[in-house]
Amino acid sequence: MASSHSSSPVPQSNSSDAFFKKEVDATKRFRPVQSLPDVCPKEPTGNPNNLHDSPSLVVDQQRWTIYHSKVNLPAALNDPRLAKRESDFFTKTWGVDFVDTEVTPSFYLPQITKEHFALYQQEITPREKIQERCKNICTPKDSFDGTLLHTHDKSRTDLEQVPKIFMKPDFALEDSLTFNAVLPWSHFSTAGGKGNRDAASSKLLQEKLSHYLDIVEVNIAHQISLRSEAFFHAMTSQHELQDYLRKTSQAVKLLREKISKIDKVMCEGSLRVLRLSLTRNNCIKAYNKLKLMATVHQTQPTVQLLLSTSEYVGALDLIATTQEVLQQELQGIHSFRHLGSQLCELEKLIDKMMIAEFSTYARNDLNRPLEDDCQILEEERLVSLVFGLLKQRKLNFYEIYGDEMINTAKNIIKQCVVNTVSQIEEIDTEVVVKLADQMRMMNFPQWFDLLKNIFSKFTIFLKRVKATLNTIRSVVFLVLDKNQKTRDLEDTLQKNSAKESMVDSEVAYLTHEGMFISDAFGDGELPAGAADSASQRNTSPNSEPCSSDSVSEPECTTDSSSSKEHTSSSVTPGGVEMMIGEDMKLTDLELVRLANNIQELLYNASDICHDRSVKFLMARAKDGFLEKLNSNEFVTLSRLMEGFILDTEQICGRKSMSLRGALQSQANRFVNRFHEERKTKLSLLLDNERWKQAEVPAEFQDLVDSVSDGRISLPEKKPTATEERKPAEFLIVEGQKYATVGTVLLLIRIILEYCQCVDNIPSITTDMLTRLSDLLKYFNSRSCQLVLGAGALQVVGLKTITTKNLALSSRCLQLIVHYIPIIRAHFEARLQPKQFSMLRHFDHITKDYHDHIAEISAKLVAIMDSLFDKLLSKYEVKAPVPSACFRNICKQMAKMHEAIYDLLPEEQTQMLFLRINASYKLHLKRQLAHLNVVNDGGPLNGLVTSDVAFYTGNLQALKGLNNLDLNMAEIWEQKR
């Protein structure tokens, strides 16, 4: 054995201080690298280790393991496309920029600092110190004495004699190379007579292998001897462990039996009750879901039924509720996958139906017979349509009503013309086809009745439109009011919730501090919000939203949807009750704008009526019909149009200017024609006036008397009995007699016609004032030309202009001047304050008339002055007395008095004769100075005194001049 050991080819170790270490099995020490399996591994083989190491499709089907991973780490870490090796394999998938991107710190994770570990360090530091002390005190457990080390060294040396091939983990004689290395066949070759040597070699190989076996067995025995005590202890412990396991198994079995009995007695029934309760709740939910599905399934037939009765709001609400249920409670149900799109199409169809229905309603409402009945047509239907249109945000529906108003206004005029023409036999509709031509064939009474009928129809039409639009506006205001109340309610709920949260926090704090609520709040001091919230918390655990008793109630099926849609009932002005839902998501600005547009539509209705009326008037005025109307007819027409304008303003609340402008235009034409007619008439009267005193008919006296009563108006014609009254010689005005000519009487009537026209047509006041002032100026200038200018000699053919003509002209002018202040006051009462400046025309006219009167008086004095100059220039102081000159002068003075006394008032006559007497004294004085006759008491002075006495006596003997102070002594006064 020693020789074998010495001749062993196994190398020996030279290290004497090396420890002996147990050789570890190569299969346990070197495990082959296993590749990761696929996601779906192959079928398991018979190797039990593979069954434990690889995933199982049966056991691990629902559990993710590392074998589900498909990531090839080398491929992820080694990206050949990169210029350099990256530190993170995520760049392969997410790009090169992934590493450089800075990650924003999360707002939800706290920032960890060293202070967070301070408490842990305080707890672990004492333990670490104790551990260090224990390491210093305890000795290593693996120390061996020298003998044991020597033994181990010797054993190791012996084992090193064994070739390393036998120590390889993959040693297997099945391998040909290994077999040839252990048993070289060259040693057993029998060729060449070498049998003895091969036998020796075989024997030597056998001894060598036996020696290797002995070494191994010795080492095994040595190792067993070293571990004998631990081995026998392990065997003893194994028996005790088996005893413990047997007792534990028996105890576990007993425990399982007891648990099984307890499960059957105490748990199985309760669990079964819970299971059945859960099953029952699931069945109830399934039943409610099926019931809800059945209700949703009936949505389309129900919508069709509602649409058949024009319940558009109900149909839209049902569609909205169904859509909400489909999105929330029935989401994902395959059988209803197309119902949502079908309901959307149905909703679009309802939109078109509502618009068509509203158009039909507007047409029926506006085209029904125009009677005095202004009731709203089917108010419930209108309110339903408006609510539906508002719900669908169709805010331009009022434009449809506006278009129908235009068409209806046209049809009203057309129908009225057709009805009127059909009743007039003089109009042949077969010959005259056009309605406009047929209308122009009417006389004024017929056309006036037609216009009156049209205005009455338009008035009823506007009242109906106003009633309908007021109903629509009331619906809009109801929705606006509902929005306001909803916002107020939400604000209140938010405030209450804030108060409840505050009270809850106070109660929680008091409870945490160990106090009772009654200690913190006195009796009755607990806020109402806290009491309500507490009662809700107390009652909520015992209340169920849908119990078994309420399964049959339909409210439980749509509780989630209906609870989100609060409704409130509102009553329209007509008494129609409607439910307003919260789903009308219209802003206050949109609703206010819509209400203003509806009000504007009422204004447009008034404008439409006025525009159609203007076109009707213009169609009749094409042939100058309106311009040919007399004043009474035009006044009647103007009053009718003014009444219609006022009615429309009262109904609609705003002025429409089109008809008023047309009336003003026609009024201007009427004023021009009115003025031209009367000015032409006055011109003709003046051209034919002979300036003689005319008799005053009773109707003119009545006309003047009516003006004296304080009102300017043309009196109505009285019965024929008054025509038997004889005309008067003078016109009595406020107790004064006025001798006038016929032209002035007619002029007064013309002036009153102007004033009356202003009363009847207030819009033409300014035009009439201008025209009347022009007329008065024309009379003044024309009369001056005819009388003072002697134009009447050529125009009328008068031989001369007498003093009587002059006095009569002056008195006529005085009569007109008397009425100018009255006319001024009449116009002033009908003018605007900013138009008072136009009254200055009357002041200018009054001045012109006074100047004219003064010129006539001066003309009368000048006539006598020329007479005095002619007669007194031939005067000679001689007998007989009175002289012929003075007798002629007195004769002419008597004629003058006779001509003017009945025409002029006594005061004016006296003033006129005083001026004539002054002229007489001037000429007499000049003649006496020429004759050198002085007041010396001589014969000549006596003759002159006698003549002057004769003149004075004759002049004072005239009627009304007896008290006239002639002062004849001035003829003897000499100039100093």
Side-chain angles (χ1 to χ4, degrees), residues 8 29 77 194 228 428 432 468 597 657 704 718 815 921:
S8 175
R29 186 173 57 186
L77 295 173
K194 297 181 180 180
S228 61
D428 190 358
V432 183
T468 302
N597 291 335
M657 303 307 298
V704 171
K718 297 182 179 180
L815 178 62
K921 288 189 292 183

Side-chain angles (χ1 to χ4, degrees), residues 761-777:
I761 312 175
S763 60
I764 62 174
T765 301
T766 55
D767 292 337
M768 279 295 182
L769 189 149
T770 306
R771 301 299 193 282
L772 180 57
S773 61
D774 179 67
L775 185 71
L776 293 176
K777 290 178 181 179

Side-chain angles (χ1 to χ4, degrees), residues 573-604:
V576 181
E577 184 174 357
M578 294 297 296
M579 303 300 293
I580 306 176
E582 285 187 353
D583 54 350
M584 288 191 182
K585 300 303 181 181
L586 295 173
T587 62
D588 292 351
L589 181 61
E590 292 176 335
L591 293 173
V592 171
R593 187 184 296 115
L594 178 60
N596 293 335
N597 291 335
I598 294 172
Q599 184 63 34
E600 190 68 25
L601 187 61
L602 180 60
Y603 301 152
N604 293 339

Side-chain angles (χ1 to χ4, degrees), residues 340-355:
S341 60
Q342 292 174 359
L343 292 178
C344 291
E345 294 298 329
L346 188 59
E347 188 173 358
K348 295 179 182 178
L349 177 62
I350 292 176
D351 292 345
K352 296 180 181 179
M353 292 179 62
M354 284 193 299
I355 293 175

